[in-house]
Amino acid sequence: MIILGVILLVIGFLTGISILWTIGIILLILGAVLWILGAMGHAVAGRRHYW
């Protein structure tokens, strides 16, 4: 998600398409938050295992 955000930021910057720039920023921030939460040991959108 972080890589996709960076790619969209670059494409949006080079082409001047502002919606790609906005989506890239959102994906970059969301990916960074999920990465930090995962690194802290929190289950992000985890599933219950019934066994």
Side-chain angles (χ1 to χ4, degrees):
M1 192 175 297
I2 294 173
I3 295 172
L4 181 62
V6 170
I7 290 170
L8 287 177
L9 275 174
V10 170
I11 292 173
F13 179 73
L14 293 177
T15 59
I17 301 173
S18 63
I19 189 70
L20 289 179
W21 181 260
T22 305
I23 293 172
I25 290 173
I26 291 170
L27 284 179
L28 190 65
I29 292 172
L30 186 63
V33 167
L34 291 177
W35 182 31
I36 291 170
L37 286 175
M40 290 173 55
H42 293 280
V44 179
R47 296 191 174 119
R48 264 197 155 155
H49 299 284
Y50 298 103
W51 25 57

